[in-house]
Amino acid sequence: MPIYEYKCNKCAKEFEVLVLGSRDDVRCPQCDAADVSRLMSGFAHKNEGGTLVSSSGGGCSSCSGGSCSTCH
Ligand SMILES: [Zn+2]
């Protein structure tokens, strides 16, 4: 199941939400604001602004995930 990372635009709290189905009415657990933005996280890592994701030993350029074990 996909876990999405959200950030509240009101209080800047970051939190993770387990999304069931296509439900997307996420609220901040801290201030209950519905004004939240979804961050990229989990299995769909993307490098934004050149920030390298090095969760498990770096990985090479042909690795799609964070692990080199699938391509070497
Ligand atoms: Zn909030």
Side-chain angles (χ1 to χ4, degrees), residues 13-50:
K13 161 118 182 139
E14 293 185 15
F15 56 97
E16 291 178 345
V17 173
L18 186 68
V19 176
L20 306 169
S22 57
R23 207 161 57 100
D24 205 20
D25 53 341
V26 178
R27 281 178 178 272
C28 173
Q30 186 163 273
C31 70
D32 202 39
D35 187 15
V36 298
S37 333
R38 188 154 82 194
L39 307 173
M40 288 300 178
S41 80
F43 51 87
H45 271 300
K46 287 224 162 143
N47 287 344
E48 286 186 53

PDB file of all heavy atoms in Angstrom, residues 13-50:
ATOM      1  N   LYS A  13       3.914  21.185   9.325  1.00  0.00           N
ATOM      2  CA  LYS A  13       4.127  19.849   9.880  1.00  0.00           C
ATOM      3  C   LYS A  13       4.178  18.822   8.749  1.00  0.00           C
ATOM      4  O   LYS A  13       3.375  18.852   7.828  1.00  0.00           O
ATOM      5  CB  LYS A  13       2.979  19.524  10.836  1.00  0.00           C
ATOM      6  CG  LYS A  13       2.818  18.061  11.112  1.00  0.00           C
ATOM      7  CD  LYS A  13       3.037  17.767  12.572  1.00  0.00           C
ATOM      8  CE  LYS A  13       2.916  16.284  12.866  1.00  0.00           C
ATOM      9  NZ  LYS A  13       3.947  15.855  13.804  1.00  0.00           N
ATOM     10  N   GLU A  14       5.155  17.923   8.817  1.00  0.00           N
ATOM     11  CA  GLU A  14       5.239  16.865   7.824  1.00  0.00           C
ATOM     12  C   GLU A  14       4.745  15.564   8.432  1.00  0.00           C
ATOM     13  O   GLU A  14       5.075  15.227   9.556  1.00  0.00           O
ATOM     14  CB  GLU A  14       6.683  16.715   7.345  1.00  0.00           C
ATOM     15  CG  GLU A  14       7.140  17.927   6.565  1.00  0.00           C
ATOM     16  CD  GLU A  14       8.543  17.715   5.978  1.00  0.00           C
ATOM     17  OE1 GLU A  14       9.010  16.574   5.934  1.00  0.00           O
ATOM     18  OE2 GLU A  14       9.149  18.719   5.586  1.00  0.00           O
ATOM     19  N   PHE A  15       3.940  14.855   7.657  1.00  0.00           N
ATOM     20  CA  PHE A  15       3.380  13.611   8.182  1.00  0.00           C
ATOM     21  C   PHE A  15       3.142  12.641   7.038  1.00  0.00           C
ATOM     22  O   PHE A  15       3.128  13.005   5.868  1.00  0.00           O
ATOM     23  CB  PHE A  15       2.077  13.905   8.938  1.00  0.00           C
ATOM     24  CG  PHE A  15       1.054  14.634   8.118  1.00  0.00           C
ATOM     25  CD1 PHE A  15       0.035  13.941   7.482  1.00  0.00           C
ATOM     26  CD2 PHE A  15       1.102  16.013   7.992  1.00  0.00           C
ATOM     27  CE1 PHE A  15      -0.911  14.606   6.723  1.00  0.00           C
ATOM     28  CE2 PHE A  15       0.161  16.685   7.229  1.00  0.00           C
ATOM     29  CZ  PHE A  15      -0.846  15.988   6.605  1.00  0.00           C
ATOM     30  N   GLU A  16       2.996  11.388   7.405  1.00  0.00           N
ATOM     31  CA  GLU A  16       2.785  10.355   6.404  1.00  0.00           C
ATOM     32  C   GLU A  16       1.370   9.827   6.496  1.00  0.00           C
ATOM     33  O   GLU A  16       0.803   9.715   7.577  1.00  0.00           O
ATOM     34  CB  GLU A  16       3.762   9.203   6.618  1.00  0.00           C
ATOM     35  CG  GLU A  16       5.180   9.594   6.309  1.00  0.00           C
ATOM     36  CD  GLU A  16       6.140   8.462   6.562  1.00  0.00           C
ATOM     37  OE1 GLU A  16       5.751   7.489   7.238  1.00  0.00           O
ATOM     38  OE2 GLU A  16       7.272   8.539   6.085  1.00  0.00           O
ATOM     39  N   VAL A  17       0.810   9.534   5.333  1.00  0.00           N
ATOM     40  CA  VAL A  17      -0.555   9.044   5.289  1.00  0.00           C
ATOM     41  C   VAL A  17      -0.601   7.787   4.442  1.00  0.00           C
ATOM     42  O   VAL A  17      -0.063   7.747   3.337  1.00  0.00           O
ATOM     43  CB  VAL A  17      -1.503  10.102   4.694  1.00  0.00           C
ATOM     44  CG1 VAL A  17      -2.896   9.522   4.503  1.00  0.00           C
ATOM     45  CG2 VAL A  17      -1.575  11.317   5.584  1.00  0.00           C
ATOM     46  N   LEU A  18      -1.229   6.773   4.975  1.00  0.00           N
ATOM     47  CA  LEU A  18      -1.465   5.569   4.211  1.00  0.00           C
ATOM     48  C   LEU A  18      -2.727   5.766   3.390  1.00  0.00           C
ATOM     49  O   LEU A  18      -3.818   5.906   3.932  1.00  0.00           O
ATOM     50  CB  LEU A  18      -1.627   4.391   5.174  1.00  0.00           C
ATOM     51  CG  LEU A  18      -1.754   3.019   4.537  1.00  0.00           C
ATOM     52  CD1 LEU A  18      -0.449   2.615   3.876  1.00  0.00           C
ATOM     53  CD2 LEU A  18      -2.111   1.997   5.599  1.00  0.00           C
ATOM     54  N   VAL A  19      -2.548   5.836   2.086  1.00  0.00           N
ATOM     55  CA  VAL A  19      -3.675   6.170   1.225  1.00  0.00           C
ATOM     56  C   VAL A  19      -4.418   4.907   0.816  1.00  0.00           C
ATOM     57  O   VAL A  19      -3.850   4.001   0.219  1.00  0.00           O
ATOM     58  CB  VAL A  19      -3.187   6.925  -0.025  1.00  0.00           C
ATOM     59  CG1 VAL A  19      -4.349   7.180  -0.962  1.00  0.00           C
ATOM     60  CG2 VAL A  19      -2.521   8.218   0.368  1.00  0.00           C
ATOM     61  N   LEU A  20      -5.673   4.874   1.135  1.00  0.00           N
ATOM     62  CA  LEU A  20      -6.507   3.743   0.760  1.00  0.00           C
ATOM     63  C   LEU A  20      -7.327   4.124  -0.456  1.00  0.00           C
ATOM     64  O   LEU A  20      -8.089   5.073  -0.421  1.00  0.00           O
ATOM     65  CB  LEU A  20      -7.426   3.353   1.917  1.00  0.00           C
ATOM     66  CG  LEU A  20      -6.704   3.081   3.241  1.00  0.00           C
ATOM     67  CD1 LEU A  20      -7.724   2.971   4.359  1.00  0.00           C
ATOM     68  CD2 LEU A  20      -5.882   1.823   3.157  1.00  0.00           C
ATOM     69  N   GLY A  21      -7.157   3.345  -1.528  1.00  0.00           N
ATOM     70  CA  GLY A  21      -7.888   3.660  -2.740  1.00  0.00           C
ATOM     71  C   GLY A  21      -7.404   4.973  -3.323  1.00  0.00           C
ATOM     72  O   GLY A  21      -6.224   5.263  -3.346  1.00  0.00           O
ATOM     73  N   SER A  22      -8.331   5.775  -3.777  1.00  0.00           N
ATOM     74  CA  SER A  22      -7.950   7.052  -4.378  1.00  0.00           C
ATOM     75  C   SER A  22      -8.388   8.210  -3.500  1.00  0.00           C
ATOM     76  O   SER A  22      -8.512   9.332  -3.947  1.00  0.00           O
ATOM     77  CB  SER A  22      -8.573   7.179  -5.771  1.00  0.00           C
ATOM     78  OG  SER A  22      -9.963   7.058  -5.679  1.00  0.00           O
ATOM     79  N   ARG A  23      -8.631   7.898  -2.249  1.00  0.00           N
ATOM     80  CA  ARG A  23      -9.062   8.945  -1.328  1.00  0.00           C
ATOM     81  C   ARG A  23      -7.938   9.937  -1.116  1.00  0.00           C
ATOM     82  O   ARG A  23      -6.805   9.551  -0.887  1.00  0.00           O
ATOM     83  CB  ARG A  23      -9.454   8.326   0.005  1.00  0.00           C
ATOM     84  CG  ARG A  23     -10.478   9.122   0.769  1.00  0.00           C
ATOM     85  CD  ARG A  23     -11.132   8.226   1.804  1.00  0.00           C
ATOM     86  NE  ARG A  23     -10.096   7.657   2.675  1.00  0.00           N
ATOM     87  CZ  ARG A  23      -9.806   8.124   3.885  1.00  0.00           C
ATOM     88  NH1 ARG A  23     -10.475   9.135   4.359  1.00  0.00           N
ATOM     89  NH2 ARG A  23      -8.888   7.570   4.625  1.00  0.00           N
ATOM     90  N   ASP A  24      -8.249  11.161  -1.222  1.00  0.00           N
ATOM     91  CA  ASP A  24      -7.191  12.157  -1.147  1.00  0.00           C
ATOM     92  C   ASP A  24      -7.584  13.346  -0.282  1.00  0.00           C
ATOM     93  O   ASP A  24      -7.114  14.445  -0.477  1.00  0.00           O
ATOM     94  CB  ASP A  24      -6.832  12.625  -2.561  1.00  0.00           C
ATOM     95  CG  ASP A  24      -5.397  13.157  -2.605  1.00  0.00           C
ATOM     96  OD1 ASP A  24      -4.627  12.822  -1.696  1.00  0.00           O
ATOM     97  OD2 ASP A  24      -5.076  13.904  -3.518  1.00  0.00           O
ATOM     98  N   ASP A  25      -8.486  13.115   0.629  1.00  0.00           N
ATOM     99  CA  ASP A  25      -8.865  14.215   1.513  1.00  0.00           C
ATOM    100  C   ASP A  25      -8.066  14.124   2.811  1.00  0.00           C
ATOM    101  O   ASP A  25      -8.524  13.611   3.808  1.00  0.00           O
ATOM    102  CB  ASP A  25     -10.365  14.208   1.784  1.00  0.00           C
ATOM    103  CG  ASP A  25     -10.822  12.853   2.287  1.00  0.00           C
ATOM    104  OD1 ASP A  25     -10.088  11.876   2.073  1.00  0.00           O
ATOM    105  OD2 ASP A  25     -11.885  12.784   2.921  1.00  0.00           O
ATOM    106  N   VAL A  26      -6.847  14.603   2.711  1.00  0.00           N
ATOM    107  CA  VAL A  26      -5.916  14.486   3.819  1.00  0.00           C
ATOM    108  C   VAL A  26      -5.929  15.760   4.646  1.00  0.00           C
ATOM    109  O   VAL A  26      -5.972  16.855   4.100  1.00  0.00           O
ATOM    110  CB  VAL A  26      -4.498  14.217   3.292  1.00  0.00           C
ATOM    111  CG1 VAL A  26      -3.505  14.130   4.426  1.00  0.00           C
ATOM    112  CG2 VAL A  26      -4.491  12.946   2.465  1.00  0.00           C
ATOM    113  N   ARG A  27      -5.900  15.543   5.942  1.00  0.00           N
ATOM    114  CA  ARG A  27      -5.853  16.699   6.834  1.00  0.00           C
ATOM    115  C   ARG A  27      -4.638  16.612   7.737  1.00  0.00           C
ATOM    116  O   ARG A  27      -4.188  15.530   8.081  1.00  0.00           O
ATOM    117  CB  ARG A  27      -7.123  16.753   7.689  1.00  0.00           C
ATOM    118  CG  ARG A  27      -8.295  17.319   6.916  1.00  0.00           C
ATOM    119  CD  ARG A  27      -9.540  17.300   7.774  1.00  0.00           C
ATOM    120  NE  ARG A  27     -10.666  17.885   7.047  1.00  0.00           N
ATOM    121  CZ  ARG A  27     -10.951  19.180   7.050  1.00  0.00           C
ATOM    122  NH1 ARG A  27     -10.210  20.007   7.745  1.00  0.00           N
ATOM    123  NH2 ARG A  27     -11.962  19.640   6.366  1.00  0.00           N
ATOM    124  N   CYS A  28      -4.163  17.761   8.126  1.00  0.00           N
ATOM    125  CA  CYS A  28      -3.026  17.820   9.022  1.00  0.00           C
ATOM    126  C   CYS A  28      -3.416  17.282  10.394  1.00  0.00           C
ATOM    127  O   CYS A  28      -4.432  17.681  10.950  1.00  0.00           O
ATOM    128  CB  CYS A  28      -2.554  19.262   9.138  1.00  0.00           C
ATOM    129  SG  CYS A  28      -1.280  19.497  10.385  1.00  0.00           S
ATOM    130  N   PRO A  29      -2.627  16.356  10.932  1.00  0.00           N
ATOM    131  CA  PRO A  29      -2.950  15.796  12.251  1.00  0.00           C
ATOM    132  C   PRO A  29      -2.697  16.784  13.382  1.00  0.00           C
ATOM    133  O   PRO A  29      -3.118  16.569  14.512  1.00  0.00           O
ATOM    134  CB  PRO A  29      -2.000  14.593  12.354  1.00  0.00           C
ATOM    135  CG  PRO A  29      -0.847  14.944  11.477  1.00  0.00           C
ATOM    136  CD  PRO A  29      -1.413  15.774  10.347  1.00  0.00           C
ATOM    137  N   GLN A  30      -2.011  17.831  13.084  1.00  0.00           N
ATOM    138  CA  GLN A  30      -1.655  18.781  14.141  1.00  0.00           C
ATOM    139  C   GLN A  30      -2.628  19.943  14.241  1.00  0.00           C
ATOM    140  O   GLN A  30      -3.075  20.301  15.317  1.00  0.00           O
ATOM    141  CB  GLN A  30      -0.240  19.312  13.885  1.00  0.00           C
ATOM    142  CG  GLN A  30       0.286  20.192  14.989  1.00  0.00           C
ATOM    143  CD  GLN A  30       1.790  20.363  14.903  1.00  0.00           C
ATOM    144  OE1 GLN A  30       2.541  19.565  15.433  1.00  0.00           O
ATOM    145  NE2 GLN A  30       2.220  21.399  14.208  1.00  0.00           N
ATOM    146  N   CYS A  31      -2.974  20.518  13.085  1.00  0.00           N
ATOM    147  CA  CYS A  31      -3.846  21.692  13.130  1.00  0.00           C
ATOM    148  C   CYS A  31      -5.150  21.473  12.362  1.00  0.00           C
ATOM    149  O   CYS A  31      -5.964  22.366  12.261  1.00  0.00           O
ATOM    150  CB  CYS A  31      -3.112  22.916  12.595  1.00  0.00           C
ATOM    151  SG  CYS A  31      -2.807  22.860  10.818  1.00  0.00           S
ATOM    152  N   ASP A  32      -5.295  20.259  11.803  1.00  0.00           N
ATOM    153  CA  ASP A  32      -6.539  19.874  11.132  1.00  0.00           C
ATOM    154  C   ASP A  32      -6.828  20.700   9.892  1.00  0.00           C
ATOM    155  O   ASP A  32      -7.967  20.808   9.458  1.00  0.00           O
ATOM    156  CB  ASP A  32      -7.718  19.953  12.119  1.00  0.00           C
ATOM    157  CG  ASP A  32      -8.876  19.075  11.627  1.00  0.00           C
ATOM    158  OD1 ASP A  32      -8.599  17.987  11.115  1.00  0.00           O
ATOM    159  OD2 ASP A  32     -10.019  19.504  11.725  1.00  0.00           O
ATOM    160  N   ALA A  33      -5.810  21.263   9.300  1.00  0.00           N
ATOM    161  CA  ALA A  33      -6.008  22.017   8.073  1.00  0.00           C
ATOM    162  C   ALA A  33      -6.044  21.065   6.883  1.00  0.00           C
ATOM    163  O   ALA A  33      -5.341  20.063   6.844  1.00  0.00           O
ATOM    164  CB  ALA A  33      -4.879  23.017   7.899  1.00  0.00           C
ATOM    165  N   ALA A  34      -6.883  21.395   5.927  1.00  0.00           N
ATOM    166  CA  ALA A  34      -6.950  20.587   4.712  1.00  0.00           C
ATOM    167  C   ALA A  34      -5.977  21.105   3.664  1.00  0.00           C
ATOM    168  O   ALA A  34      -5.864  20.555   2.578  1.00  0.00           O
ATOM    169  CB  ALA A  34      -8.370  20.600   4.159  1.00  0.00           C
ATOM    170  N   ASP A  35      -5.297  22.149   3.995  1.00  0.00           N
ATOM    171  CA  ASP A  35      -4.358  22.777   3.075  1.00  0.00           C
ATOM    172  C   ASP A  35      -2.990  22.113   3.183  1.00  0.00           C
ATOM    173  O   ASP A  35      -2.080  22.614   3.824  1.00  0.00           O
ATOM    174  CB  ASP A  35      -4.269  24.267   3.407  1.00  0.00           C
ATOM    175  CG  ASP A  35      -3.446  25.010   2.369  1.00  0.00           C
ATOM    176  OD1 ASP A  35      -3.208  24.445   1.282  1.00  0.00           O
ATOM    177  OD2 ASP A  35      -3.038  26.137   2.650  1.00  0.00           O
ATOM    178  N   VAL A  36      -2.879  20.949   2.553  1.00  0.00           N
ATOM    179  CA  VAL A  36      -1.635  20.201   2.634  1.00  0.00           C
ATOM    180  C   VAL A  36      -1.126  19.908   1.224  1.00  0.00           C
ATOM    181  O   VAL A  36      -1.901  19.832   0.279  1.00  0.00           O
ATOM    182  CB  VAL A  36      -1.820  18.884   3.405  1.00  0.00           C
ATOM    183  CG1 VAL A  36      -2.241  19.150   4.842  1.00  0.00           C
ATOM    184  CG2 VAL A  36      -2.845  17.995   2.715  1.00  0.00           C
ATOM    185  N   SER A  37       0.169  19.728   1.112  1.00  0.00           N
ATOM    186  CA  SER A  37       0.754  19.353  -0.167  1.00  0.00           C
ATOM    187  C   SER A  37       1.393  17.984  -0.066  1.00  0.00           C
ATOM    188  O   SER A  37       1.983  17.656   0.964  1.00  0.00           O
ATOM    189  CB  SER A  37       1.834  20.341  -0.598  1.00  0.00           C
ATOM    190  OG  SER A  37       1.613  21.594  -0.067  1.00  0.00           O
ATOM    191  N   ARG A  38       1.284  17.232  -1.120  1.00  0.00           N
ATOM    192  CA  ARG A  38       1.878  15.901  -1.118  1.00  0.00           C
ATOM    193  C   ARG A  38       3.336  15.986  -1.553  1.00  0.00           C
ATOM    194  O   ARG A  38       3.663  16.614  -2.540  1.00  0.00           O
ATOM    195  CB  ARG A  38       1.116  14.977  -2.064  1.00  0.00           C
ATOM    196  CG  ARG A  38       1.596  13.554  -1.942  1.00  0.00           C
ATOM    197  CD  ARG A  38       0.516  12.592  -2.337  1.00  0.00           C
ATOM    198  NE  ARG A  38       0.458  12.440  -3.796  1.00  0.00           N
ATOM    199  CZ  ARG A  38      -0.561  11.873  -4.420  1.00  0.00           C
ATOM    200  NH1 ARG A  38      -1.587  11.431  -3.740  1.00  0.00           N
ATOM    201  NH2 ARG A  38      -0.554  11.745  -5.714  1.00  0.00           N
ATOM    202  N   LEU A  39       4.178  15.320  -0.797  1.00  0.00           N
ATOM    203  CA  LEU A  39       5.589  15.276  -1.143  1.00  0.00           C
ATOM    204  C   LEU A  39       5.900  13.933  -1.789  1.00  0.00           C
ATOM    205  O   LEU A  39       5.216  12.940  -1.549  1.00  0.00           O
ATOM    206  CB  LEU A  39       6.449  15.439   0.115  1.00  0.00           C
ATOM    207  CG  LEU A  39       6.147  16.640   0.994  1.00  0.00           C
ATOM    208  CD1 LEU A  39       6.967  16.552   2.272  1.00  0.00           C
ATOM    209  CD2 LEU A  39       6.462  17.927   0.268  1.00  0.00           C
ATOM    210  N   MET A  40       6.926  13.931  -2.593  1.00  0.00           N
ATOM    211  CA  MET A  40       7.352  12.677  -3.191  1.00  0.00           C
ATOM    212  C   MET A  40       8.144  11.865  -2.175  1.00  0.00           C
ATOM    213  O   MET A  40       9.081  12.349  -1.584  1.00  0.00           O
ATOM    214  CB  MET A  40       8.253  12.958  -4.404  1.00  0.00           C
ATOM    215  CG  MET A  40       7.488  13.497  -5.567  1.00  0.00           C
ATOM    216  SD  MET A  40       6.221  12.330  -6.120  1.00  0.00           S
ATOM    217  CE  MET A  40       5.484  13.262  -7.438  1.00  0.00           C
ATOM    218  N   SER A  41       7.758  10.631  -2.017  1.00  0.00           N
ATOM    219  CA  SER A  41       8.475   9.795  -1.066  1.00  0.00           C
ATOM    220  C   SER A  41       8.198   8.336  -1.352  1.00  0.00           C
ATOM    221  O   SER A  41       7.654   7.982  -2.387  1.00  0.00           O
ATOM    222  CB  SER A  41       8.068  10.136   0.364  1.00  0.00           C
ATOM    223  OG  SER A  41       6.853   9.524   0.670  1.00  0.00           O
ATOM    224  N   GLY A  42       8.575   7.510  -0.440  1.00  0.00           N
ATOM    225  CA  GLY A  42       8.300   6.088  -0.568  1.00  0.00           C
ATOM    226  C   GLY A  42       9.060   5.451  -1.709  1.00  0.00           C
ATOM    227  O   GLY A  42      10.216   5.754  -1.928  1.00  0.00           O
ATOM    228  N   PHE A  43       8.394   4.600  -2.458  1.00  0.00           N
ATOM    229  CA  PHE A  43       9.080   3.846  -3.504  1.00  0.00           C
ATOM    230  C   PHE A  43       9.325   4.678  -4.747  1.00  0.00           C
ATOM    231  O   PHE A  43      10.115   4.329  -5.585  1.00  0.00           O
ATOM    232  CB  PHE A  43       8.288   2.596  -3.849  1.00  0.00           C
ATOM    233  CG  PHE A  43       6.838   2.868  -4.149  1.00  0.00           C
ATOM    234  CD1 PHE A  43       6.448   3.204  -5.427  1.00  0.00           C
ATOM    235  CD2 PHE A  43       5.886   2.770  -3.137  1.00  0.00           C
ATOM    236  CE1 PHE A  43       5.113   3.443  -5.689  1.00  0.00           C
ATOM    237  CE2 PHE A  43       4.552   3.007  -3.405  1.00  0.00           C
ATOM    238  CZ  PHE A  43       4.165   3.346  -4.689  1.00  0.00           C
ATOM    239  N   ALA A  44       8.618   5.764  -4.890  1.00  0.00           N
ATOM    240  CA  ALA A  44       8.752   6.581  -6.086  1.00  0.00           C
ATOM    241  C   ALA A  44       9.697   7.740  -5.840  1.00  0.00           C
ATOM    242  O   ALA A  44       9.326   8.895  -5.907  1.00  0.00           O
ATOM    243  CB  ALA A  44       7.389   7.085  -6.537  1.00  0.00           C
ATOM    244  N   HIS A  45      10.924   7.403  -5.562  1.00  0.00           N
ATOM    245  CA  HIS A  45      11.896   8.449  -5.264  1.00  0.00           C
ATOM    246  C   HIS A  45      12.226   9.267  -6.503  1.00  0.00           C
ATOM    247  O   HIS A  45      12.461   8.739  -7.565  1.00  0.00           O
ATOM    248  CB  HIS A  45      13.176   7.834  -4.725  1.00  0.00           C
ATOM    249  CG  HIS A  45      13.148   7.672  -3.230  1.00  0.00           C
ATOM    250  ND1 HIS A  45      12.998   8.736  -2.382  1.00  0.00           N
ATOM    251  CD2 HIS A  45      13.236   6.577  -2.448  1.00  0.00           C
ATOM    252  CE1 HIS A  45      13.003   8.285  -1.139  1.00  0.00           C
ATOM    253  NE2 HIS A  45      13.135   6.974  -1.147  1.00  0.00           N
ATOM    254  N   LYS A  46      12.241  10.523  -6.319  1.00  0.00           N
ATOM    255  CA  LYS A  46      12.649  11.389  -7.414  1.00  0.00           C
ATOM    256  C   LYS A  46      13.652  12.389  -6.881  1.00  0.00           C
ATOM    257  O   LYS A  46      13.505  12.901  -5.773  1.00  0.00           O
ATOM    258  CB  LYS A  46      11.443  12.149  -7.976  1.00  0.00           C
ATOM    259  CG  LYS A  46      10.536  11.266  -8.782  1.00  0.00           C
ATOM    260  CD  LYS A  46      10.116  11.999 -10.063  1.00  0.00           C
ATOM    261  CE  LYS A  46       9.599  11.006 -11.067  1.00  0.00           C
ATOM    262  NZ  LYS A  46       8.497  11.469 -11.847  1.00  0.00           N
ATOM    263  N   ASN A  47      14.618  12.638  -7.683  1.00  0.00           N
ATOM    264  CA  ASN A  47      15.592  13.633  -7.289  1.00  0.00           C
ATOM    265  C   ASN A  47      15.085  15.017  -7.651  1.00  0.00           C
ATOM    266  O   ASN A  47      14.928  15.328  -8.814  1.00  0.00           O
ATOM    267  CB  ASN A  47      16.929  13.377  -7.985  1.00  0.00           C
ATOM    268  CG  ASN A  47      17.633  12.172  -7.409  1.00  0.00           C
ATOM    269  OD1 ASN A  47      17.289  11.713  -6.330  1.00  0.00           O
ATOM    270  ND2 ASN A  47      18.605  11.655  -8.131  1.00  0.00           N
ATOM    271  N   GLU A  48      14.837  15.785  -6.657  1.00  0.00           N
ATOM    272  CA  GLU A  48      14.359  17.132  -6.911  1.00  0.00           C
ATOM    273  C   GLU A  48      15.458  18.124  -6.577  1.00  0.00           C
ATOM    274  O   GLU A  48      15.966  18.156  -5.481  1.00  0.00           O
ATOM    275  CB  GLU A  48      13.129  17.432  -6.065  1.00  0.00           C
ATOM    276  CG  GLU A  48      11.902  16.708  -6.593  1.00  0.00           C
ATOM    277  CD  GLU A  48      10.656  17.133  -5.842  1.00  0.00           C
ATOM    278  OE1 GLU A  48      10.410  18.337  -5.756  1.00  0.00           O
ATOM    279  OE2 GLU A  48       9.960  16.251  -5.340  1.00  0.00           O
ATOM    280  N   GLY A  49      15.818  18.900  -7.560  1.00  0.00           N
ATOM    281  CA  GLY A  49      16.829  19.912  -7.343  1.00  0.00           C
ATOM    282  C   GLY A  49      18.203  19.340  -7.056  1.00  0.00           C
ATOM    283  O   GLY A  49      19.012  19.958  -6.394  1.00  0.00           O
ATOM    284  N   GLY A  50      18.448  18.151  -7.565  1.00  0.00           N
ATOM    285  CA  GLY A  50      19.766  17.551  -7.422  1.00  0.00           C
ATOM    286  C   GLY A  50      20.031  16.943  -6.060  1.00  0.00           C
ATOM    287  O   GLY A  50      21.153  16.581  -5.753  1.00  0.00           O
TER     288      GLY A  50
END
